[in-house]
Amino acid sequence: MRVPVSWLRALVPGLDASADDIAAALVRAGLEVEQVLRFGEDVHGVVVGRVLDVEELTEFKKPIRYCHVDTGDRVHEVVCGATNFSADDRVAFAVPGAVLPGGFAIATRQTYGHTSDGMICSRREIGLGDEHDGILVLPADSPLGVDVVDLLEMRDEVLDIAVTPDRGYVLSMRGMAREAATAFGLEFPDPAPVDVPEPADGYRVRIDDTAGCDRYVARTVTGIDPKAASPQWLQRRLVLCGMRPISLAVDVTNYVLLELGQPLHAFDLDKLSGDLVVRRAAAGETLQTLDGQGRALHPEDLVITDDSGPIALAGVMGGAAMEVGSATTSLLVESAHFLPLAIARTARRHKLPSEASKRYERGVDPDVADAAAEAAVRLLVALGGGTAGSVTDVDETPDPPRLQLPVDLPGRVAGRPYEPAVVRRRLEDVGCLIEGEDPLQVTPPTWRPDLTGTAELVEEVVRLEGYDSIPVVLPVAPAGRGLTPRQLLLRRSSRSLAAAGLVEVVSTPFVSEQVLDALGGGMTPPRLLNPLAETEQLLRPSLQPGLLAALQRNVGRGLQDVALYETGVVFVTPGGGTPEVPGVASRPTDEQLAALDATLPGQPRHVALALSGSRGGRPVDWADAAEALLALGCTLGLGLTLQAVQQDPWHPGRCAELLLAGRRVGFAGELHPRVVQTLGLPARTITAEANLDVLLAAAEAAGPVRAPVVSPYPPAQVDVALVVEAATPAAQVEAALREGAGRLLEDLRLFDVYSGPQVGEGRRSLAYALRFRAPDRTLTDVEVLGARDAAVAEAGRRVGAALRS
């Protein structure tokens, strides 16, 4: 909403503050002033000139005129392409050295074989609107040489205010003036006319749908001069508010809309036939709107009809059949109160936002409908020479609600006391009718449909007293509150991975089909109906696509050794069908919400790793990722194991599954060369992924991790090399050694794997370091060797392992 400060001062007597001070006061009152625009300050050297003669230059393909213009002190020769002026007209003339909006400087130049010593200006060229079809012709009595900016009172300041959906009343000068008067403690004389004539002999109007329209005022005006133009002061205010002057009838309706906030529409009275009816559209009806578009009407569309059918989309846009034209002399002015929901749905359904629909959607004052129509009629009579005709007012508006407000509630909500007199005065400033003492019986004004409960009344008191008067007090956190057990476990998981040298990243949850196909396919994730990018229409079923994209981006920027991890939700295909979509008129039932939830995709939280390059001076391999996940399990107090497996998209023989009590919870391995090549990744890229929700649930069920008992006695370490079949998983060998070694075994680590002629074809050697320690004594050699031999014997019994000679 653009608010000319000069218009605001005219509506609020005694408002002499600067534009910047007014903007600051409105901001303190809760409005959002985006900027203060200053018009006319960038126009210099444009004066009133009189056209002495006009010579048509016919040797060119387009109309070109050579003129002489008298500015009072000298005569200028000028070349111009406009044709809407003639000799003796007064025009806006930019003399050499003048500056137009945008820093455009005017100078003497040669053009079309003549000297052009200045420029005759259009409205747009001097910042007076968007019209550029012809020259701005000034009144005949305009004095020569006078600055056009001063003559047309173009110098003004305009507040550009962003209006929130709940503050529709400030989409008018009336609402802005009320706010400004309240902010500066001034009296506010309502600009709406008070002496509105009573309905009599009116045009026949019927409202068939009071859920969409509860008041309809129709006024007729006859005998309007079709050649009458809007006066300069009216056009000036429209331009400053961002509207383009069109014709007297249109300009008057737009002016009243801006001043009072009541949308109006003018029908050509001579084209109407029969009664006006406000109703919903019937099936199959169509309407050509003023923008020239033919529209198929929806049964929920609210329309205005006569005997010929729909003639306007109520509260949105009129129909072309009843458009006011250049020969129109009689008008029917519509001033109605349409309900927000009906207009909002129609405007969105037809993708047809308008100044009228914007106001109706936010709520319009039903009591100002007759006053706005009267204001329009007075202007049409005064400026167009018309005669006021009949008055129709069909009023079905309900009584305003009455609210109860405990007088101490604003203070309790804001955290600072407000005197009862202050609460009462501020509500009266808003326009509320106050009765009673405590609680206050409050009747909100008709122009504030947003005041529907005590919370809104409290907000009005607080904002008018100033949000800056509310003390800033940091709340004291209740004792014993903190992170939940699940949050603590999740944080512990991230710390474990970070301690392993990995860097956390966060990627978007959108993936493309091509990337999923490259990773092996077989996944059917949910598809987005309205994706942000056409190339990423799916929700991720795995964290790997985003993680690999981050790895590729880092490698592409020169980082060779990359180790990343991410925790986040993945999406699986929903198992349910499509439920019935609940309506918006009331809250969905618990059953409807449950049915909607049942169709949502499952969203388990996963953890994934991606590594490339080297770690510790050697190339990364799949064991690095597996070791990071095993360390994560240890941090959570879980005993995870690994088992060799073949699984896409990993390399056969370089992939392992992660097991928790025999249940698969993830994978780790080196990506298949085909995947690496397709996605443009570094050679031997390593990834791993596990279901973090399963790990966290198991950790919660297991309870707190017990701290290990630290023995003060020295350990004893022995190494064993076992020869097994090449296909025997190392995890089975490790499990057998742990079982055989017994309670004295403190740690076991695989440190070497050998395949070659020394162990025979089809076999390999696994070398383990076993560390033994007792909590209460120093172990003897006999005890250590006995435990070692028991471990080797158990490995031989389970997997056929033999000591390497």
Side-chain angles (χ1 to χ4, degrees):
M1 175 69 184
R2 289 190 170 186
V3 181
V5 174
S6 61
W7 196 354
L8 193 64
R9 291 192 178 114
L11 294 175
V12 184
L15 182 61
D16 54 4
S18 68
D20 292 328
D21 289 341
I22 294 173
L26 293 178
V27 169
R28 285 194 299 271
L31 297 175
E32 184 180 348
V33 181
E34 295 188 328
Q35 59 181 328
V36 179
L37 304 173
R38 292 175 169 84
F39 287 84
E41 293 187 354
D42 54 353
V43 180
H44 305 284
V46 181
V47 299
V48 177
R50 181 171 70 91
V51 180
L52 298 178
D53 54 57
V54 177
E55 178 187 349
E56 303 287 346
L57 303 181
T58 58
E59 62 267 32
F60 303 102
K61 293 183 179 180
K62 61 180 180 178
I64 299 296
R65 309 174 107 191
Y66 176 64
C67 317
H68 288 87
V69 177
D70 180 13
T71 58
D73 58 347
R74 59 172 289 192
V75 174
H76 301 261
E77 52 182 330
V78 63
V79 175
C80 182
T83 60
N84 69 315
F85 66 97
S86 57
D88 208 39
D89 278 347
R90 304 293 170 104
V91 295
F93 186 77
V95 301
V99 179
L100 302 184
F104 182 69
I106 302 300
T108 301
R109 61 192 181 95
Q110 294 293 320
T111 181
Y112 293 101
H114 292 271
T115 299
S116 188
D117 189 35
M119 187 174 77
I120 305 175
C121 301
S122 67
R123 285 181 175 274
R124 189 173 71 180
E125 287 165 340
I126 62 173
L128 198 58
D130 295 330
E131 186 178 340
H132 194 58
D133 296 335
I135 290 305
L136 170 62
V137 178
L138 300 172
D141 58 351
S142 302
L144 296 182
V146 171
D147 193 317
V148 169
V149 173
D150 294 332
L151 177 71
L152 301 181
E153 298 180 344
M154 290 172 52
R155 299 190 201 280
D156 207 338
E157 295 166 306
V158 177
L159 308 180
D160 189 4
I161 300 178
V163 179
T164 55
D166 62 327
R167 306 288 288 278
Y169 70 97
V170 291
L171 283 172
S172 68
M173 293 302 303
R174 180 192 185 206
M176 284 296 180
R178 179 179 283 107
E179 288 292 325
T182 301
F184 287 94
L186 301 173
E187 293 294 327
F188 171 68
D190 197 332
V194 292
D195 52 342
V196 177
E198 294 293 328
D201 301 324
Y203 198 94
R204 296 176 301 278
V205 175
R206 187 176 79 248
I207 300 176
D208 286 352
D209 192 323
T210 56
C213 174
D214 55 17
R215 190 175 188 186
Y216 196 98
V217 176
R219 297 289 302 274
T220 60
V221 184
T222 58
I224 298 174
D225 181 3
K227 296 182 180 180
S230 303
Q232 186 61 44
W233 64 266
L234 191 149
Q235 294 188 39
R236 173 180 173 275
R237 286 184 172 178
L238 291 179
V239 169
L240 291 176
C241 290
M243 287 190 172
R244 180 170 61 91
I246 298 175
S247 65
L248 178 62
V250 175
D251 293 350
V252 164
T253 57
N254 284 338
Y255 179 83
V256 174
L257 173 140
L258 291 172
E259 184 174 51
L260 301 181
Q262 171 64 53
L264 303 177
H265 185 70
F267 296 101
D268 189 326
L269 183 61
D270 295 331
K271 297 178 182 178
L272 294 175
S273 60
D275 298 354
L276 288 182
V277 180
V278 185
R279 61 170 173 83
R280 302 286 177 169
E285 285 187 319
T286 60
L287 173 67
Q288 185 179 11
T289 47
L290 289 173
D291 58 358
Q293 297 293 319
R295 302 181 185 277
L297 300 180
H298 188 276
E300 290 188 6
D301 289 340
L302 194 67
V303 294
I304 312 299
T305 68
D306 66 357
D307 288 350
S308 65
I311 59 174
L313 267 177
V316 179
M317 186 174 286
M322 302 298 162
E323 182 178 6
V324 175
S326 58
T328 300
T329 60
S330 299
L331 298 175
L332 184 143
V333 178
E334 168 197 274
S335 180
H337 183 248
F338 300 116
L339 280 299
L341 188 60
I343 304 306
R345 288 180 174 176
T346 298
R348 283 159 178 74
R349 187 179 299 116
H350 293 279
K351 297 180 175 61
L352 193 60
S354 65
E355 290 293 329
S357 66
K358 181 167 65 174
R359 286 162 174 81
Y360 279 124
E361 289 174 11
R362 290 162 170 78
V364 170
D365 181 5
D367 280 3
V368 83
D370 54 348
E374 174 65 14
V377 169
R378 291 183 184 182
L379 287 171
L380 290 170
V381 170
L383 304 178
T387 302
S390 61
V391 180
T392 302
D393 188 352
V394 181
D395 190 352
E396 302 289 343
T397 55
D399 293 333
R402 175 177 290 188
L403 307 175
Q404 287 191 352
L405 178 68
V407 75
D408 64 338
L409 184 59
R412 288 191 282 116
V413 172
R416 54 148 294 184
Y418 294 105
E419 293 295 329
V422 171
V423 175
R424 180 183 292 269
R425 175 169 58 85
R426 286 309 187 184
L427 292 177
E428 289 174 346
D429 288 341
V430 173
C432 297
L433 176 64
I434 310 296
E435 298 175 356
E437 295 298 331
D438 192 11
L440 300 177
Q441 305 296 320
V442 183
T443 302
T446 54
W447 59 82
R448 293 297 302 272
D450 58 303
L451 302 182
T452 58
T454 56
E456 288 77 14
L457 298 178
V458 168
E459 181 183 3
E460 292 303 299
V461 174
V462 173
R463 78 172 182 88
L464 292 180
E465 278 297 295
Y467 292 118
D468 53 354
S469 68
I470 300 175
V472 179
V473 179
L474 291 176
V476 179
R481 298 288 180 87
L483 299 178
T484 64
R486 173 61 66 97
Q487 291 171 330
L488 289 171
L489 289 173
L490 187 59
R491 178 171 294 185
R492 192 183 303 166
S493 303
S494 289
R495 287 176 174 170
S496 169
L497 295 171
L502 290 95
V503 178
E504 184 175 16
V505 298
V506 179
S507 61
T508 62
F510 313 117
V511 296
S512 66
E513 293 186 57
Q514 292 76 13
V515 172
L516 294 184
D517 290 341
L519 291 175
M523 295 175 276
T524 54
R527 183 177 297 274
L528 297 169
L529 294 177
N530 187 24
L532 295 178
E534 288 298 324
T535 56
E536 296 180 336
Q537 299 188 11
L538 304 176
L539 288 174
R540 63 186 182 193
S542 165
L543 296 180
Q544 292 189 65
L547 205 56
L548 291 174
L551 183 143
Q552 184 184 41
R553 191 176 302 113
N554 280 273
V555 171
R557 283 160 175 74
L559 297 177
Q560 298 302 319
D561 304 330
V562 182
L564 307 175
Y565 81 94
E566 179 177 9
T567 62
V569 296
V570 297
F571 303 85
V572 296
T573 303
T578 302
E580 179 182 355
V581 178
V584 298
S586 60
R587 180 190 182 277
T589 64
D590 292 341
E591 291 75 15
Q592 289 174 318
L593 293 175
L596 288 171
D597 289 341
T599 63
L600 293 176
Q603 300 176 46
R605 182 174 293 275
H606 279 200
V607 57
L609 322 175
L611 304 94
S612 69
S614 61
R615 285 169 66 84
R618 58 171 179 79
V620 296
D621 61 24
W622 69 269
D624 293 310
E627 189 67 30
L629 290 181
L630 291 176
L632 170 62
C634 183
T635 299
L636 297 177
L638 303 176
L640 302 179
T641 58
L642 296 172
Q643 181 171 300
V645 70
Q646 291 191 16
Q647 177 72 28
D648 285 337
W650 290 282
H651 193 297
R654 299 176 186 172
C655 174
E657 60 180 348
L658 193 69
L659 302 175
L660 174 63
R663 176 187 177 184
R664 176 189 293 171
V665 294
F667 295 94
E670 178 185 320
L671 288 178
H672 196 285
R674 179 189 66 252
V675 177
V676 170
Q677 182 179 6
T678 302
L679 297 182
L681 298 170
R684 306 198 68 172
T685 296
I686 308 299
T687 65
E689 185 165 4
N691 190 323
L692 187 57
D693 273 349
V694 173
L695 300 180
L696 296 180
E700 284 185 305
V705 177
R706 293 181 177 274
V709 177
V710 179
S711 174
Y713 297 94
Q717 181 166 315
V718 295
D719 297 339
V720 295
L722 302 179
V723 179
V724 296
E725 296 293 332
T728 302
Q732 293 184 11
V733 179
E734 179 179 334
L737 290 173
R738 289 185 181 277
E739 179 69 22
R743 293 182 300 173
L744 294 180
L745 181 66
E746 183 179 72
D747 185 49
L748 182 150
R749 180 174 59 87
L750 174 67
F751 66 88
D752 184 58
V753 178
Y754 171 77
S755 297
Q758 295 183 17
V759 296
E761 185 177 355
R763 298 171 68 81
R764 63 176 178 168
S765 171
L766 303 177
Y768 290 91
L770 287 73
R771 187 170 70 226
F772 298 95
R773 193 192 317 247
D776 55 352
R777 66 189 185 282
T778 299
L779 294 177
T780 65
D781 291 343
V782 174
E783 290 176 306
V784 172
L785 294 177
R788 182 202 64 180
D789 294 342
V792 172
E794 182 65 19
R797 186 182 68 81
R798 286 195 184 185
V799 298
L803 276 174
R804 179 180 173 185
S805 57

